[in-house]
């Protein structure tokens, strides 16, 4: 590992990085720690009361001894009341600071996700990002609200007890603490391999969580094909049973490593009684250790081990917390789409791709893409599956940045536009509509408080969605299920169009918006799309070529390259690939359920390949 890597690892996993989260609330955490430390010191008050009572009874006459007990008991009760007050104050300060810190952190993480390229997000499973937002941040709440205070108390109590023992009798202090270094050494030796297993545990746990989510989401397919949990491995995907077995194996290894270590620690640290009793008893019988002092040292020796157990437990939890915070920092340090300050705006609604190129993980997806969309025009993007059509559209809405060339809106490179201005220019109606677990009203206006309910209803009417919304149990106040589970595909699309109408952007991108519609829904969708795209610059990704024959221009993509560009009639005449796509669509319109002879299937495939080659 390089020095730079080591520095990064230390910065991510160090206690200082966790404490740096406090920011302006650091003083609250400091005071919380002080209050907890003082509260732990006051927990010694009952032991001091016992010592003073024994001292009073041993060295004072009976009549005066009883009278002298009341002040001692009174001071003891006062100490316990003060301890309660300090503990409550420390807990309140720590919890308020923790909730505020994590509130800011969750908002920061959510804002960061908004600014990173889509490629960074799609390269990770939804569950792994959910784990960061939920589990890893929740563990930080435990650290800030509980572990900091408890650690301050667990450090202070043994330290004060040790000082008191040395002050009272240095011999008793030595025999009380003699097992502590040995216990720490035993734990360090036995726990040496634990960090490696913990890293493996975190990896397997994340993969298992992702696979479980995939299993639940795909349960309909699994039931249809009677697969049960025996999901076959494909590529980098490991079957659920294998992941469960891997999780079981790593847990067993962790138990084998940690249980002996923890057991050895508890046995050794608690063995100080084997030293305190015989040595203390011997010195008492010798007369060099008074009985009341022997009892006090015995009680202090018993009490000194409990906070040491807590410290050891916190040490094991810190590994999980630090690993989780490392993942949070990885997210917060992810590359962002560059933003610029200012108020630069496009001159018009035209769009131009200038020798644009893009690659996923060094695999070229688009190469030397060049064409222009005039303001107010309709441009259709067609081509075989995998040609790069959706990626092209997503470069326009700046889900990613081009790696070569440029994408211009109104003569301005989108990378030179402030993100807020750029996003205001484009509305994206996706093929797979995402709806939030919220009301219909909020799904359409998408959190914009400046959009009134009347404007939302007007947009829904224009999008042919008002009728089915009105039939919902609470109309526009109906809470949709997860991802809009209560709605059909066509209804979701119409809500997506209503959302785009509310945005009222001058450029519209339609990614096969009618792909999942039945004929009735499609007619309504086409009417809604007509309203949405009126007087707009439109890019439409189409698989049904019959819907775009009147487009101002049709761009034909194949293998990430523009192989032809023109109107429908011109492309039918000049581009074999477009002609083949048109013919295949027409053939599919009269398709019936039958099996073509093998030689016909091979001939059809061969014709399509030759057509694609001739377009190049």
């Amino acid at each position: 590992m390089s020095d730079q890597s080591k520095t990064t690892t230390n910065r991510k996993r160090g206690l200082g990085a966790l404490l740096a989260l406090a920011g302006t609330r650091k003083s609250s955490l400091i005071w919380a720690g002080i209050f907890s430390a003082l509260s732990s010191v006051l927990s010694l008050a009952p032991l001091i009361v016992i010592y003073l009572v024994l001292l009073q009874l041993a060295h004072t006459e009976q009549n005066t001894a009883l009278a002298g007990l009341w002040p001692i008991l009174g001071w003891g009760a006062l100490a316990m009341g003060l301890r309660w007050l300090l503990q409550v104050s420390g807990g309140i300060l720590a919890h308020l600071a923790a909730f505020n810190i994590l509130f800011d952190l969750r908002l920061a993480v959510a804002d960061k996700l908004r600014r990173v390229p889509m490629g960074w997000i799609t390269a990770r499973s939804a569950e792994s990002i959910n784990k960061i937002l939920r589990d890893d941040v929740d563990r930080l709440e435990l650290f800030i609200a509980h572990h900091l205070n408890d650690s301050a108390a667990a450090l202070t109590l043994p330290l004060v007890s040790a000082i008191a023992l040395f002050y009272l009798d240095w011999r008793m202090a030595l025999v009380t603490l003699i097992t502590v270094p040995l216990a720490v050494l035993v734990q360090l030796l036995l726990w040496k391999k634990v960090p490696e297993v913990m890293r493996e545990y975190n990896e397997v746990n994340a993969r298992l969580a992702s696979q479980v989510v995939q299993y639940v989401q795909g349960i309909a397919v699994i039931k249809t094909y009677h697969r049960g949990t025996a999901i076959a491995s494909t590529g980098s995907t490991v079957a659920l049973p294998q992941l469960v077995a891997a999780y079981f194996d790593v847990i067993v290894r962790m138990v084998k490593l940690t249980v002996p270590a923890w057991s050895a620690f508890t046995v050794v640290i608690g063995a100080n009684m084997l030293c305190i009793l015989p040595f203390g008893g011997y010195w008492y019988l010798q007369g060099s250790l008074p009985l009341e002092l022997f009892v006090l040292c015995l009680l202090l020796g018993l009490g000194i081990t409990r906070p040491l157990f807590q410290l050891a437990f916190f040490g094991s939890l810190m590994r999980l917390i630090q690993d989780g915070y490392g993942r949070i920092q990885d997210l917060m340090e992810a590359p962002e789409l560059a933003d610029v300050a200012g108020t630069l705006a496009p001159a018009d609604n035209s769009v131009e791709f200038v020798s644009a190129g893009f690659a996923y993980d060094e695999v070229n997806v688009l190469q030397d893409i060049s064409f222009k969309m005039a303001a107010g025009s309709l441009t259709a993007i067609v081509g075989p599956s995998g040609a790069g059509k959706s990626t092209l559209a997503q470069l326009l809405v700046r889900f990613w940045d081009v790696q070569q060339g440029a994408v211009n809106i109104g003569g301005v490179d989108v990378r030179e536009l402030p993100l807020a201005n750029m996003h205001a220019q484009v509305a994206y109606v996706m093929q797979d509509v995402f709806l939030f677990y919220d009301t219909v009203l909020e799904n359409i206006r998408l959190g914009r408080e400046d959009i009134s309910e009347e404007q939302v209803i007007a947009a829904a009417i224009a999008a042919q969605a008002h009728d089915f919304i009105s039939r919902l149990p609470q109309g526009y106040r109906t809470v949709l299920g997860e991802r809009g589970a209560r709605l059909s595909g066509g209804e979701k699309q119409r809500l997506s169009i209503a959302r785009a109408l509310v945005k009222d952007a001058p450029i519209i991108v339609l990614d096969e918006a009618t792909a999942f519609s039945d004929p009735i829904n499609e007619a309504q969708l086409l009417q809604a799309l007509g309203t949405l795209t009126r007087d707009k610059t439109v890019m439409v990704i189409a698989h049904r070529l019959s819907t775009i024959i009147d487009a101002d221009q049709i761009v034909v993509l194949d293998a990430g390259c523009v192989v032809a560009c023109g109107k429908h009639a011109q492309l039918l005449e000049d581009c074999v690939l477009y002609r083949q796509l048109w013919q295949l669509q027409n053939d599919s319109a009269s398709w019936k359920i039958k099996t073509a002879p093998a030689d016909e299937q091979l001939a059809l495939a061969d014709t399509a390949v030759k057509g694609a080659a001739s377009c190049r």
Side-chain angles (χ1 to χ4, degrees):
M1 182 184 290
S2 66
D3 293 339
Q4 184 178 0
S5 298
K6 290 178 181 177
T7 302
T8 302
T9 301
N10 291 337
R11 178 176 58 76
K12 287 182 179 179
R13 295 175 60 86
L15 183 60
L18 290 169
L19 293 175
L21 276 172
T24 57
R25 298 179 178 87
K26 190 176 292 182
S27 59
S28 295
L29 292 180
I30 291 173
W31 279 110
I34 291 172
F35 289 160
S36 295
L38 292 175
S39 174
S40 71
V41 172
L42 287 174
S43 69
L44 298 175
L47 308 185
I48 297 173
V49 167
I50 292 172
Y51 170 71
L52 293 176
V53 167
L54 290 175
L55 191 64
Q56 183 80 2
L57 294 176
H59 301 285
T60 310
E61 293 183 3
Q62 184 176 359
N63 293 336
T64 56
L66 291 174
L69 293 179
W70 294 112
I72 295 172
L73 296 176
W75 282 109
L78 182 63
M80 290 296 96
L82 182 58
R83 184 195 175 198
W84 173 83
L85 182 62
L86 289 169
Q87 195 166 354
V88 169
S89 301
I92 290 174
L93 283 174
H95 278 82
L96 289 178
F99 295 145
N100 281 289
I101 290 168
L102 299 186
F103 174 79
D104 294 339
L105 180 61
R106 277 198 168 97
L107 289 182
V109 169
D111 185 61
K112 177 69 178 186
L113 287 172
R114 185 178 58 84
R115 290 182 280 114
V116 299
M118 281 296 295
W120 189 93
I121 297 174
T122 54
R124 291 154 179 80
S125 68
E127 184 58 29
S128 66
I129 296 176
N130 184 41
K131 178 180 172 59
I132 294 173
L133 282 165
R134 185 190 60 206
D135 298 345
D136 294 338
V137 175
D138 284 346
R139 285 199 187 103
L140 288 178
E141 188 273 330
L142 287 174
F143 169 75
I144 298 169
H146 299 276
H147 297 165
L148 279 178
N149 275 10
D150 293 344
S151 297
L155 280 170
T156 303
L157 185 57
L159 182 62
V160 171
S161 298
I163 292 172
L165 282 168
F166 276 105
Y167 175 77
L168 295 169
D169 191 294
W170 64 269
R171 300 170 302 172
M172 292 297 293
L174 289 178
V175 298
T176 299
L177 301 174
I178 194 171
T179 60
V180 174
L182 181 59
V184 173
L185 180 62
V186 167
Q187 191 178 40
L188 289 176
L189 290 175
L190 292 175
W191 279 63
K192 189 160 49 174
K193 294 185 178 180
V194 169
E196 180 183 343
V197 179
M198 285 300 300
R199 280 192 296 272
E200 187 177 343
Y201 165 79
N202 286 327
E203 291 173 3
V204 173
N205 190 32
R207 291 167 62 197
L208 178 61
S210 177
Q211 189 71 3
V212 167
V213 170
Q214 179 177 299
Y215 177 79
V216 173
Q217 291 176 340
I219 193 67
V221 176
I222 294 167
K223 288 169 70 69
T224 300
Y225 289 91
H226 303 286
R227 296 296 295 165
T229 58
I231 306 171
S233 303
T234 56
S236 59
T237 302
V238 180
L240 183 59
Q242 282 88 335
L243 276 177
V244 172
Y247 182 79
F248 175 79
D249 290 341
V250 77
I251 287 293
V252 170
R253 287 171 55 204
M254 189 183 298
V255 168
K256 288 180 178 178
L257 282 173
T258 57
V259 170
W262 179 255
S263 301
F265 177 81
T266 56
V267 168
V268 174
I269 200 74
N272 63 349
M273 283 297 100
L274 297 177
C275 300
I276 295 172
L277 284 172
F279 282 98
Y282 174 74
W283 292 322
Y284 167 69
L285 294 174
Q286 267 195 335
S288 60
L289 183 67
L291 178 62
E292 62 274 10
L293 191 56
F294 178 31
V295 172
L296 179 58
C297 291
L298 182 63
L299 293 174
L300 287 172
L302 285 170
I304 207 170
T305 57
R306 182 174 57 83
L308 293 176
F309 287 138
Q310 287 182 315
L311 282 176
F313 178 66
F314 294 153
S316 63
L317 288 180
M318 278 301 293
R319 291 184 177 91
L320 286 173
I321 294 168
Q322 288 170 342
D323 286 345
Y325 186 55
R327 287 188 289 272
I328 293 172
Q329 283 195 307
D330 285 340
L331 190 156
M332 297 304 291
E333 293 171 2
E336 298 181 7
L337 288 172
D339 198 3
V340 292
T343 57
L344 182 64
D348 56 33
N349 304 334
S350 64
V351 175
E352 184 176 12
F353 287 80
V354 184
S355 300
F358 181 76
Y360 294 114
D361 297 326
E362 301 181 357
V363 177
N364 286 331
V365 178
L366 297 172
Q367 306 171 59
D368 196 27
I369 302 293
S370 295
F371 66 91
K372 186 171 183 178
M373 299 164 51
S377 67
L378 169 62
T379 297
I381 311 296
V382 302
S385 296
K389 301 185 294 297
S390 292
T391 301
L392 184 69
Q394 290 162 0
L395 289 177
L396 175 56
V397 295
R398 210 181 170 200
F399 280 3
W400 297 276
D401 278 335
V402 292
Q403 291 153 352
Q404 295 90 35
V407 179
N408 299 332
I409 294 179
V412 181
D413 191 323
V414 293
R415 292 168 293 188
E416 297 175 5
L417 289 170
L419 281 173
N421 289 1
M422 188 268 142
H423 289 149
Q425 300 297 316
V426 187
Y428 188 16
V429 180
M430 303 180 188
Q431 182 176 3
D432 184 14
V433 179
F434 184 89
L435 296 174
F436 293 92
Y437 198 110
D438 205 339
T439 63
V440 174
L441 179 70
E442 293 303 329
N443 266 286
I444 293 176
R445 68 181 176 192
L446 208 57
R448 287 186 56 184
E449 297 298 330
D450 58 313
I451 301 298
S452 67
E453 186 170 349
E454 289 73 21
Q455 289 173 292
V456 170
I457 293 173
I461 292 172
Q464 306 295 309
H466 179 71
D467 288 344
F468 83 78
I469 294 173
S470 300
R471 291 193 294 270
L472 295 174
Q474 286 83 42
Y476 285 83
R477 305 290 174 179
T478 302
V479 176
L480 301 177
E482 187 175 355
R483 298 182 65 89
R486 297 185 180 190
L487 304 180
S488 69
E491 290 170 340
K492 292 179 187 178
Q493 284 288 7
R494 278 178 274 163
L495 286 187
S496 179
I497 293 168
R499 181 188 289 169
L501 283 167
V502 165
K503 185 175 183 180
D504 194 26
I507 300 170
I508 307 294
V509 177
L510 304 174
D511 190 350
E512 194 56 32
T514 63
F516 302 134
S517 300
D518 56 68
I520 296 176
N521 264 320
E522 184 173 10
Q524 293 176 317
L525 277 173
L526 290 174
Q527 186 175 349
L529 289 171
T531 304
L532 173 64
T533 58
R534 189 177 299 127
D535 302 322
K536 310 286 188 183
T537 302
V538 181
M539 174 189 283
V540 54
I541 297 172
H543 294 98
R544 299 180 189 179
L545 303 187
S546 59
T547 63
I548 48 92
I549 57 176
D550 295 325
D552 295 301
Q553 68 174 340
I554 300 170
V555 177
V556 183
L557 287 185
D558 187 32
C561 298
V562 175
V563 295
C565 184
K567 288 183 175 292
H568 173 69
Q570 176 190 349
L571 292 174
L572 281 178
E573 183 176 342
D574 297 339
C575 180
V576 177
L577 174 58
Y578 185 79
R579 190 161 57 248
Q580 290 295 329
L581 293 172
W582 178 257
Q583 185 61 47
L584 287 171
Q585 178 178 287
N586 288 337
D587 290 345
S588 68
S590 58
W591 177 82
K592 296 179 181 178
I593 299 179
K594 65 177 183 177
T595 303
D599 56 344
E600 289 184 20
Q601 295 180 25
L602 291 172
L604 186 61
D606 183 58
T607 302
V609 172
K610 289 178 180 177
S614 67
C615 257
R616 294 176 182 275

